Amino acid sequence: MSAARRCSPPRALAGLFVWRLKNTGIRQIPCQFVQLCHVANDRLITFQYFNFLKRMYVTQCNKDLSQRAKPKSDSVASPFRELQQLDQEKKVIHKIRPISPVHQPLPEASISNELREMKSAAETEDSVAAVRVEAKGDRQWKEMKLRLDDLPGILARLSKIKLTALVVSTASAGFAMAPVPFDLTCFVLASLGTGLASCAANSINQFFEVPFDSNMNRTKNRPLVRGQISPLLAVCFAASCGVPGIALLTLGVNPLTGALGAFNIFLYTCCYTPMKRMSIANTWVGAVVGAIPPVMGWTAATGSLDAGALLLGGILYSWQFPHFNALSWGLREDYSRGGYCMMSVTHPGLCRRVALRHCLALIGLSAVAPVLDITTWTFPIISLPINLYISYLGFRFYRDADRRSSRKLFFCSLWHLPMLLLVMFTCKKSFLEKEDKGDLLGESHGRAMEIRLP
Amino acid sequence: MAAARVLRGGRCCRRRRLLSSSAGGRPTVERGERQESAGLGFSPPAHSRNDWIGPPDKHSNLRPVIFYVPPEESPLERRLREARQEAQACDQRFWARHNRAFCQEKEEFIYSRLKAKGLEMRDETGKKATLNAEEMADFYKDFLSKNFRKHMQYNRDWYKRNFTITFLMAQVALARALRWLRWKKKNVGN
């Protein structure tokens, strides 16, 4: 076969080329690049080298060389609930002009130059036009072959790693607010267990929703939708995260936290996910799912489900409504077409009322915190401005019912929660004060002295 | 086949299985060859031993898959491949029809609303007139409630298919692993 005969010259040239690059000491090119060179087949040549934040692809197609600069879009994606990619990836296509090898060419130009030489040596007419495989690119046919290099990225997207990070941080907030001495080991184990449980739940959620995700703009680039990973692998990954995660929580922390974690996974995957397509009550179930992690953090620290845990859970529960209802306001078309039962589509008035109601509830819950001895009275006072602001935006959303007010409310909710939790932590009532209050003199002071030592 | 087309999307899978089993009209694929992919405008390279997934279909937004048929395909693997093909066809049919209905009804809604307001479909500049999100909200609510039962049925079918296919994948993976282990043992023994 002519194709087989043409195997050797490009590979030899590729080998020479790699040797030359190595000798010129271009350190940016990682080992993967070398590996890619060696496995390049005679029909297509794809090179990838890393240039700090950008990835440049030099591809051969239709006997033309083109260099495509594609900025990495992952870093600008919203950490919460995967916002629609409003800024599209910018593609810049440059035509590489032939550069005389006498000059000192830049690395990019030298690569393209070498490619031109190799290409002219190994030219095939029919197969190249037919087979166009690019490393990235939505419009191309791709081989469904899992590459180990891509696996971490794929699993990160499958487990919604950014959302998981947020969940772990709310659990950490719950742990931090608990009125007990800080135990680092317990904290780490609880955070790890919660993170693993969240990864498992998110993976199963994506496993259940493939055709629906394909039809919504917000979710159409998920790994299972794009065929980057098989459903079996997704389930195995979920199991391999969920089982150790819950085991870690049950055995390493305490059984109550483990039970809460398992219950949360069940609630999210088996209740919330199917309910999304059946009834608007899914939003309330989803709010409970969001409220459980801080409760888990608290129970991990104290070992019991106190009023404080429920209050923290209540704050997260109330927060979910302005956050989600505002977000869903702009997605009504996708929800309607995709068959999702959301308040914003079926009961728009209720949607806005509930959002406002829960913004106001946040003020009330913040006021309850000092009553339960979780924080000092400074907390409701300091948090009043931000709570009033989000309530104001909630009111505007209720009254105006337009896209602008919904977006304002949504973006406010993104910074409101971290700030509220931070203020709560700074206003945390030291458990030392509580001990002093309730204890007798003498020995209690001695005990207090002991605790005060670091 | 004509009967299959007339069926509602949600029930299509069950009937299709019945039809194919009664008529015996399962498309036969030569071992070692690719499934027919002429309609998709792409043929994978001959040397590739994997499935290929394409860009989203413009009607259904689902990505078509061209399945590879290995020459030594076992009956279990064949069952898996056919289940996946069937699921793909079902999903494609449902979503293409559903999305087309959505677009069509949306156009009709916009037209009727514009007419009620006394406006034309295109304004003075020739641009297509649209309604804002608040006006469209009535249509979205209506469309969702109209198609609720269709979605319920599709959901049930989709969950069933998804579990079946994943379970078959697990069986195939296990069978392959056992085969590999037996081969390894044989080689180590030699």
Side-chain angles (χ1 to χ4, degrees):
Chain A
M1 274 298 292
S2 54
R5 254 187 278 125
R6 273 189 287 273
C7 250
S8 23
R11 286 198 186 195
L13 274 169
L16 266 171
F17 164 51
V18 167
W19 171 85
R20 187 202 135 156
L21 277 176
K22 273 176 162 171
N23 280 9
T24 53
I26 294 171
R27 280 182 296 277
Q28 301 104 298
I29 300 167
C31 308
Q32 291 161 337
F33 174 52
V34 173
Q35 215 175 344
L36 275 167
C37 287
H38 285 300
V39 303
N41 71 38
D42 57 340
R43 284 186 203 143
L44 54 95
I45 302 157
T46 309
F47 285 92
Q48 203 173 324
Y49 68 93
F50 294 98
N51 186 8
F52 194 43
L53 286 175
K54 284 191 286 183
R55 269 193 204 150
M56 317 270 272
Y57 299 88
V58 182
T59 56
Q60 176 190 16
C61 52
N62 290 333
K63 300 179 223 178
D64 261 324
L65 278 171
S66 50
Q67 187 172 21
R68 200 161 65 99
K70 195 166 168 189
K72 229 172 139 169
S73 55
D74 292 355
S75 49
V76 302
S78 162
F80 291 83
R81 296 256 187 176
E82 292 181 35
L83 283 181
Q84 197 173 337
Q85 293 271 10
L86 297 168
D87 17 311
Q88 299 297 321
E89 296 165 1
K90 296 179 191 71
K91 288 186 199 171
V92 179
I93 300 170
H94 299 293
K95 266 276 183 288
I96 307 294
R97 282 177 300 287
I99 297 166
S100 159
V102 181
H103 301 310
Q104 289 286 345
L106 294 163
E108 297 96 319
S110 77
I111 289 167
S112 57
N113 207 20
E114 292 290 332
L115 274 173
R116 271 194 175 274
E117 288 175 28
M118 283 199 304
K119 183 193 65 74
S120 55
E123 208 162 312
T124 56
E125 272 176 74
D126 42 3
S127 42
V128 174
V131 180
R132 261 221 277 174
V133 177
E134 283 186 278
K136 274 205 179 145
D138 215 32
R139 298 284 130 204
Q140 309 305 317
W141 281 81
K142 295 201 190 95
E143 197 171 9
M144 288 176 85
K145 185 174 166 183
L146 188 64
R147 287 181 179 78
L148 283 169
D149 310 335
D150 300 334
L151 195 61
I154 291 172
L155 293 179
R157 280 196 297 279
L158 184 69
S159 60
K160 296 190 212 167
I161 199 80
K162 288 167 187 157
L163 179 63
T164 298
L166 266 310
V167 166
V168 170
S169 62
T170 57
S172 314
F175 193 98
M177 287 308 299
V180 289
F182 183 77
D183 180 355
L184 183 66
T185 323
C186 192
F187 175 74
V188 168
L189 289 175
S191 304
L192 193 61
T194 309
L196 287 171
S198 173
C199 287
N202 289 330
S203 306
I204 296 290
N205 169 265
Q206 290 198 20
F207 166 70
F208 281 160
E209 305 235 288
V210 179
F212 316 119
D213 283 345
S214 317
N215 273 283
M216 289 183 57
N217 278 317
R218 192 173 64 94
T219 52
K220 64 186 176 189
N221 286 317
R222 288 185 170 170
L224 282 169
V225 171
R226 291 172 85 176
Q228 292 173 318
I229 194 172
S230 78
L232 178 66
L233 215 57
V235 172
C236 290
F237 173 70
S240 63
C241 281
V243 172
I246 299 300
L248 196 64
L249 288 173
T250 313
L251 303 170
V253 180
N254 59 53
L256 177 60
T257 313
L260 281 170
F263 175 66
N264 212 17
I265 294 179
F266 166 75
L267 204 62
Y268 185 61
T269 56
C270 302
C271 296
Y272 172 69
T273 303
M275 264 180 94
K276 272 163 78 173
R277 306 185 60 78
M278 295 199 297
S279 150
I280 59 168
N282 70 75
T283 311
W284 281 267
V285 173
V288 174
V289 171
I292 287 181
V295 177
M296 281 169 70
W298 184 288
T299 59
T302 63
S304 64
L305 209 61
D306 322 305
L310 295 174
L311 178 75
L312 264 172
I315 289 179
L316 261 292
Y317 176 82
S318 281
W319 176 83
Q320 304 286 336
F321 290 97
H323 174 76
F324 183 71
N325 286 3
L327 172 69
S328 69
W329 198 257
L331 300 173
R332 284 179 286 179
E333 174 166 358
D334 274 353
Y335 282 146
S336 168
R337 190 166 51 85
Y340 282 106
C341 295
M342 298 295 173
M343 268 193 278
S344 56
V345 180
T346 58
H347 297 80
L350 178 70
C351 178
R352 299 186 327 266
R353 266 200 312 278
V354 165
L356 176 61
R357 204 185 292 162
H358 284 273
C359 286
L360 296 169
L362 282 170
I363 302 176
L365 286 167
S366 303
V368 172
V371 175
L372 294 175
D373 263 351
I374 299 168
T375 65
T376 57
W377 275 102
T378 52
F379 172 61
I381 297 166
I382 299 178
S383 66
L384 195 62
I386 54 172
N387 285 338
L388 279 177
Y389 183 61
I390 198 174
S391 302
Y392 167 69
L393 289 179
F395 176 71
R396 288 293 298 270
F397 175 50
Y398 171 73
R399 197 191 59 186
D400 302 342
D402 60 358
R403 193 177 163 78
R404 190 160 175 272
S405 54
S406 72
R407 280 171 70 89
K408 282 188 89 162
L409 179 60
F410 174 71
F411 285 113
C412 174
S413 74
L414 293 182
W415 60 255
H416 172 271
L417 181 69
M419 197 168 284
L420 187 72
L421 292 175
L422 196 65
V423 170
M424 201 182 202
F425 182 67
T426 56
C427 296
K428 178 184 172 183
K429 194 166 220 172
S430 162
F431 66 90
L432 298 170
E433 292 174 34
K434 277 188 267 174
E435 287 234 345
D436 285 348
K437 251 197 270 173
D439 290 339
L440 303 163
L441 301 160
E443 56 178 358
S444 64
H445 274 288
R447 201 155 22 102
M449 284 301 290
E450 267 182 84
I451 296 165
R452 272 192 195 115
L453 289 169
Chain B
M1 282 324 263
R5 251 181 272 136
V6 170
L7 288 169
R8 292 202 159 275
R11 286 190 308 237
C12 70
C13 280
R14 285 197 290 268
R15 285 294 286 267
R16 201 177 132 86
R17 271 197 284 274
L18 279 168
L19 277 171
S20 61
S21 61
S22 61
R26 200 171 288 160
T28 50
V29 181
E30 285 296 317
R31 298 275 160 110
E33 275 182 21
R34 284 267 169 204
Q35 172 206 354
E36 198 252 72
S37 56
L40 300 166
F42 173 80
S43 343
H47 66 273
S48 165
R49 287 178 57 96
N50 292 305
D51 301 335
W52 284 68
I53 190 164
D57 178 76
K58 67 174 190 236
H59 293 299
S60 68
N61 297 313
L62 301 174
R63 288 174 180 261
V65 176
I66 297 177
F67 298 95
Y68 171 66
V69 190
E72 66 284 352
E73 190 183 46
S74 67
L76 191 65
E77 286 172 355
R78 191 193 170 106
R79 259 178 65 199
L80 170 63
R81 179 176 53 83
E82 286 173 352
R84 288 173 76 191
Q85 281 167 350
E86 208 173 299
Q88 185 173 277
C90 254
D91 288 341
Q92 169 69 22
R93 252 198 308 270
F94 176 83
W95 285 106
R97 188 191 296 143
H98 179 76
N99 292 340
R100 264 199 294 266
F102 181 81
C103 292
Q104 197 178 329
E105 290 182 32
K106 187 176 169 188
E107 288 293 322
E108 286 169 9
F109 176 81
I110 292 175
Y111 178 70
S112 64
R113 277 293 167 99
L114 287 173
K115 222 166 95 168
K117 284 209 278 194
L119 299 167
E120 290 298 319
M121 279 298 285
R122 286 184 191 274
D123 62 13
E124 312 82 51
T125 60
K127 228 171 46 169
K128 212 165 166 192
T130 52
L131 301 171
N132 67 26
E134 307 319 314
E135 290 165 317
M136 291 304 299
D138 292 330
F139 166 69
Y140 296 144
K141 178 177 175 175
D142 201 39
F143 187 81
L144 188 64
S145 48
K146 258 199 329 209
N147 288 279
F148 182 74
R149 278 190 49 193
K150 200 167 86 169
H151 277 297
M152 284 297 104
Q153 205 140 28
Y154 176 77
N155 292 346
R156 264 196 293 273
D157 288 342
W158 152 252
Y159 271 81
K160 227 185 324 187
R161 281 198 306 269
N162 198 22
F163 280 123
T164 311
I165 288 173
T166 309
F167 186 63
L168 276 169
M169 279 182 173
Q171 283 179 301
V172 165
L174 194 66
R176 281 193 190 146
L178 287 171
R179 226 178 15 232
W180 181 81
L181 276 169
R182 259 183 254 127
W183 173 87
K184 196 107 198 271
K185 219 162 101 176
K186 206 164 43 167
N187 272 23
V188 166
N190 281 355

